Each structure stands twice: as C-alpha cells, then as structure tokens.
Amino acid sequence: MKICSACTHRFAAAEWTCPRCNWTPKIRDGIRILMPTTTDGAPGFDAKFFDEVDQAERDHFWFHGRMALIEHVLDRFFPRAESFLDVGSGTGHVVAALRRRWPSMQITAAEAFADGLRLTAQRAAGALHDVVRHRR
C-alpha cells in the first residue's frame, strides 16, 4: 500500500506513480524522495552525529540488545514476515542485520536525513527493496 505525497490517494502498485494525480517521487542518489520539500532532517537531531551513532551501533551493548529484541519479536510473532519497514533507519545497521538473517525479506528503509539514508544504502547495498526519505 502506498500513499501519494501530493494528493494522499492510497493505492497498491509496484510502481510509485499515483494513478489519481500522476505524481511520481523524484529519485536522487538512488534514494526515493517522498518528502514534499527539500528540508533535510528533523528537529532535535544534528546530522553531524551520524558518525558517532554509527560507531556506537557497532560497539555498544544497547544496540546489540535492541537488535536481538527485534529478531526475537520477528521470530516469535511474525515468523512468516515477507517485508519490513525500518522507519528512522539512521546508519543502516538494523537493515543490514535483517538482510543477513532473512535474505529474502523485502526491506524498506525510511529516514528524514539524507546523510542517514546514504549510510543505510551503503551499509545494506543490494539488501533494500526501497530507500525513501520521509517527512516527520
């Protein structure tokens, strides 16, 4: 199910062109832009922290525990899940781990920061069904 960013029409289709208004999101650097404006990010977070967050996600126990919890929930409550939407993908560690565990799952990464999506797309190269910038 898709919702057109221009007219809010809901539609199910393989492509992103809205059947009602014919709006199609732009693609920049391989990233589908669903935001109606060019504003990057969200209030309260500075994109310069992505490098620090990236390092923390590799090393810190909290991030390892969070990933174990995500995997447990998927195993227990959604064992036949075919798709996953990661909202706030940040540095892409979650989508990369999901791809390793469930290689056939269709994974969509959504992030408000262009820098975050670039990291996600690099880390999970070939793993993503779609990469989108969304509005908050």
Side-chain angles (χ1 to χ4, degrees):
M1 176 64 64
K2 296 176 173 74
I3 301 174
C4 176
S5 292
C7 73
T8 69
H9 177 66
R10 295 172 186 267
F11 61 100
E15 297 299 320
W16 276 90
T17 300
C18 176
R20 179 185 286 164
C21 73
N22 210 33
W23 180 82
T24 302
K26 291 180 174 41
I27 296 177
R28 275 195 303 251
D29 301 324
I31 297 170
R32 190 174 315 280
I33 310 297
L34 297 181
M35 297 174 73
T37 68
T38 59
T39 304
D40 188 34
F45 185 82
D46 190 333
K48 70 181 179 184
F49 293 118
F50 272 115
D51 289 335
E52 292 176 38
V53 171
D54 183 41
Q55 187 62 44
E57 284 194 62
R58 283 186 244 165
D59 300 334
H60 199 276
F61 75 92
W62 186 89
F63 292 102
H64 294 279
R66 178 184 66 162
M67 193 62 232
L69 180 61
I70 291 169
E71 290 176 349
H72 169 74
V73 168
L74 285 172
D75 279 337
R76 179 156 182 196
F77 299 106
F78 305 98
R80 292 185 300 275
E82 296 176 2
S83 62
F84 188 89
L85 170 61
D86 184 27
V87 177
S89 296
T91 60
H93 284 278
V94 170
V95 294
L98 290 172
R99 175 55 56 182
R100 286 190 298 274
R101 180 80 184 272
W102 293 280
S104 63
M105 183 180 283
Q106 284 192 335
I107 302 169
T108 299
E111 172 63 53
F113 286 92
D115 287 344
L117 279 177
R118 274 191 283 281
L119 281 170
T120 297
Q122 290 168 4
R123 175 156 289 112
L128 296 171
H129 172 67
D130 208 355
V131 181
V132 297
R133 251 183 91 199
H134 65 89
R135 62 179 148 169
R136 189 172 175 325

